[in-house]
Amino acid sequence: LQELSQLTGDARWTKQAERLTDGLLEHCADWGEACCGILTHCTASYQQTTTIKSLLNEFKAKGWSAPGYHWVIDTDGNVHQLLSEDKVANGVKGYNDHSIHVAWVGGIVKNAYGKIVSTDNRTVHQRLELFDLLVKIKLRYRNAMIMGHRDIWGEDPKKWQKTCPNFNVREEYNF
């Protein structure tokens, strides 16, 4: 990006490069598109009790003016749009202005000892609809990178602040 800044004389490229973490969103510099990242999430909630209404209530309780996700896929594979893609969601602090946030309901369970643990418990319906939705969004924003929430901290699990969405998005959806 700094080379592009020098070649074009456009300082936006350098500023963008300095702002980004671990180079994961380097291609976010102004491509003339509203979106440079398609960030995938789990809701980090129980599949059996989480509803779209309960998610919206959670966002309001946090004092957020907008939901955390543009799109949510429930356990039956129903896709719900919570926010228009031209609006800013609250999915990942510092990455929201140019990202579309997609979530699947679930991501936690209680283990045999009663401890809450993160897991990839997507249903078959969620897996199919997530793939379909990501393809559709990618077709709208061809330069956007599909990645998981945790990927903003790099590939080293020791650097992750959370494991969301609890699977390797870049490996599973490498298109």
Side-chain angles (χ1 to χ4, degrees):
L1 291 176
Q2 289 179 354
E3 287 177 26
L4 282 171
S5 180
Q6 291 170 354
L7 290 171
T8 63
D10 189 341
R12 291 179 300 168
W13 295 98
T14 299
K15 186 176 179 183
Q16 189 71 10
E18 292 169 352
R19 178 180 151 279
L20 300 172
T21 304
D22 294 328
L24 287 173
L25 296 178
E26 284 181 358
H27 71 290
C28 270
D30 188 7
W31 290 95
E33 291 188 0
C35 172
C36 64
I38 303 168
L39 298 175
T40 307
H41 306 264
C42 64
T43 59
S45 59
Y46 296 107
Q47 288 181 325
Q48 299 82 357
T49 57
T50 302
T51 64
I52 299 304
K53 185 176 180 177
S54 69
L55 284 173
L56 292 171
N57 287 338
E58 178 185 339
F59 301 138
K60 284 181 185 177
K62 290 179 178 181
W64 293 357
S65 60
Y69 320 113
H70 293 91
W71 300 95
V72 175
I73 304 167
D74 67 25
T75 55
D76 293 326
N78 298 308
V79 178
H80 304 269
Q81 186 171 14
L82 303 187
L83 189 66
S84 173
E85 289 179 2
D86 63 340
K87 305 288 186 208
V88 178
N90 287 309
V92 181
K93 187 175 182 178
Y95 292 84
N96 294 325
D97 288 344
H98 299 288
S99 299
I100 303 298
H101 298 278
V102 177
W104 56 276
V105 172
I108 62 170
V109 294
K110 282 190 180 177
N111 68 12
Y113 303 102
K115 181 180 177 188
I116 297 171
V117 295
S118 299
T119 188
D120 179 4
N121 59 349
R122 289 174 291 159
T123 65
V124 171
H125 300 293
Q126 286 174 312
R127 289 174 186 266
L128 292 171
E129 290 304 322
L130 181 57
F131 177 82
D132 186 60
L133 182 57
L134 291 174
V135 167
K136 288 175 182 174
I137 296 170
K138 180 71 172 174
L139 288 172
R140 288 194 293 277
Y141 307 102
R142 293 186 182 271
N143 289 321
M145 178 185 282
I146 297 173
M147 56 195 297
H149 184 164
R150 70 185 190 191
D151 293 328
I152 65 167
W153 297 293
E155 294 183 14
D156 182 358
K158 293 176 187 170
K159 294 182 180 180
W160 297 343
Q161 294 179 21
K162 54 180 68 180
T163 61
C164 173
N166 302 334
F167 71 97
N168 189 332
V169 172
R170 292 188 292 167
E171 185 177 286
E172 192 164 325
Y173 302 112
N174 186 17
F175 52 84

